Amino acid sequence: MFKEYFKYYKRINSLEHQSNVIDFENVDVNEIIKYKELKTASCNNEKEKLDGLGLKNDLSDWRCYEISNIPGLIFISNPFTPCGQKYWMKRCIVDYTKKPNRLNIDAHHYIDVEENWWTTVNNTGNIKLRDQLRWATLGYHHDWDTKVYSESAKSEFPSDLYQLSKTIIELLKFPEEFIAEAAIVNFYHPSSTLSGHIDHSEYNLSAPLLSISFGLSAIFLIGGHSLNDKPTAILLRSGDTIIMSRESRLSYHGVPKILLSENDRKIKYENEWEFNLKNYMKVTRININVRQVNNAIRS
């Protein structure tokens, strides 16, 4: 059933007449969709911490939901400020594409050793190179062939992304500490899809998986532990964040459609560098998914 729904949503060109897609900007809270309570952040230090991570510092502005028929799935409707969105876009595009992080284009030697992907693209105007970037891996580098994490394939995990992930999980009142150890930054284009799959390479499968989207909107499809289970379709806009925990942590999920017509929540771009960013994000969806790999607690 998952594959049939995936094919259906892959063929659509807009959300018109797609009443089965959950849009959390226009959703009625009911017995299926419920508000998720957050931990309070009242003191100035906590609000400064949220500010520093590009998050809205007034938690009354956060809208978090749970879906009762997908146990453990939490949806946060864009907890980022406009400046925060630009900060994380820049980190993904400019910084997380640098060494020692690994890219899908590394083996092709497209980039001058004295430069990096973003600099090369802007200096050369090479649209083909721009669109060939599909993923970057951080921390423990995901092995796409073996699906196994290795201590010999690991670099330092970005401290800001570590803190962002830890803070969001804490605000959601998870009982265990979340240790961000690996991330895949995916770069989607309008024709891109992500087939239905389960993320089960991590040694710790009880820890939640954090997924953050920026740029173009997308339809996210999540089912159950079998491809025969009927999936639910959710609209993801720029800044929207999903946490998969409990039963949903091992549920089939994928992205059948990137929606080119959906805007980026009217983010303002103010200088030449930001206009380059804007032009890239007009044709790109970025997804950061962060995982805890091990059971051991960091000392």
Side-chain angles (χ1 to χ4, degrees):
M1 190 172 288
F2 188 99
K3 292 180 180 179
E4 285 75 14
Y5 276 84
F6 190 96
K7 290 176 182 177
Y8 170 78
Y9 286 113
K10 183 179 178 179
R11 291 194 299 266
I12 70 170
N13 292 314
S14 75
L15 291 179
E16 189 176 4
H17 309 306
Q18 300 299 323
S19 59
N20 288 329
V21 178
I22 298 175
D23 179 358
F24 282 99
E25 286 199 350
N26 302 285
V27 72
D28 294 323
V29 176
N30 50 46
E31 67 276 6
I32 301 298
I33 298 174
K34 302 178 181 180
Y35 284 120
K36 166 70 177 174
E37 185 180 349
L38 289 168
K39 176 184 176 183
T40 57
S42 55
C43 71
N44 288 334
N45 286 343
E46 288 177 315
K47 290 189 174 185
E48 287 176 5
K49 180 180 180 181
L50 295 177
D51 275 333
L53 293 169
L55 295 168
K56 298 171 185 175
N57 65 18
D58 186 347
L59 293 183
S60 65
D61 293 333
W62 287 44
R63 289 182 295 119
C64 304
Y65 303 91
E66 294 179 292
I67 306 175
S68 61
N69 62 342
I70 313 176
L73 184 78
I74 301 171
F75 180 96
I76 308 175
S77 182
N78 184 28
F80 297 89
T81 64
C83 287
Q85 285 209 46
K86 286 194 289 187
Y87 172 84
W88 289 106
M89 289 176 190
K90 179 180 178 181
R91 286 290 281 157
C92 290
I93 294 168
V94 179
D95 301 319
Y96 296 162
T97 54
K98 293 178 179 177
K99 295 302 177 189
N101 301 322
R102 296 185 179 180
L103 314 180
N104 67 293
I105 56 176
D106 285 344
H108 303 290
H109 307 292
Y110 290 136
I111 302 171
D112 189 295
V113 292
E114 298 300 324
E115 293 187 339
N116 55 64
W117 170 80
W118 182 245
T119 302
T120 303
V121 165
N122 284 285
N123 285 348
T124 63
N126 189 333
I127 301 301
K128 182 179 179 181
L129 175 61
R130 183 196 72 181
D131 293 344
Q132 283 173 325
L133 179 67
R134 295 307 174 110
W135 53 259
T137 56
L138 324 177
Y140 280 94
H141 298 291
H142 182 73
D143 188 309
W144 300 91
D145 296 320
T146 66
K147 312 297 184 186
V148 174
Y149 291 102
S150 169
E151 292 295 325
S152 63
K154 181 176 73 169
S155 56
E156 185 176 357
F157 194 87
S159 60
D160 55 354
L161 185 56
Y162 176 90
Q163 288 299 328
L164 175 70
S165 306
K166 179 181 174 69
T167 297
I168 291 174
I169 295 301
E170 286 178 349
L171 288 173
L172 293 170
K173 301 195 291 188
F174 277 84
E176 303 294 333
E177 182 182 12
F178 180 73
I179 310 297
E181 296 177 301
I184 303 173
V185 183
N186 291 301
F187 300 87
Y188 293 92
H189 303 301
S191 62
S192 301
T193 61
L194 178 65
S195 298
H197 65 285
I198 296 174
D199 293 293
H200 53 68
S201 296
E202 294 73 36
Y203 304 115
N204 185 342
L205 294 174
S206 63
L209 187 153
L210 186 78
S211 175
I212 306 169
S213 297
F214 296 112
L216 294 177
S217 298
I219 294 176
F220 175 74
L221 208 59
I222 181 166
H225 293 182
S226 167
L227 287 171
N228 294 322
D229 295 329
K230 181 180 178 180
T232 298
I234 300 172
L235 176 62
L236 295 180
R237 291 187 170 91
S238 190
D240 288 346
T241 300
I242 280 181
I243 294 87
M244 296 168 64
S245 66
R246 296 168 41 209
E247 289 91 331
S248 72
R249 176 63 178 80
L250 290 174
S251 294
Y252 278 95
H253 59 282
V255 178
K257 190 69 178 182
I258 307 297
L259 295 162
L260 187 58
S261 60
E262 297 295 314
N263 63 37
D264 58 2
R265 285 191 160 136
K266 308 298 184 184
I267 296 173
K268 294 181 180 179
Y269 299 90
E270 299 172 349
N271 54 46
E272 182 179 356
W273 188 94
E274 290 192 353
F275 279 112
N276 287 335
L277 172 64
K278 178 182 180 180
N279 289 333
Y280 180 65
M281 296 309 299
K282 279 182 177 179
V283 294
T284 306
R285 171 183 178 248
I286 294 174
N287 173 255
I288 315 170
N289 56 84
V290 183
R291 305 103 181 281
Q292 178 171 333
V293 174
N294 297 305
N295 293 303
I297 298 298
R298 179 177 293 181
S299 59

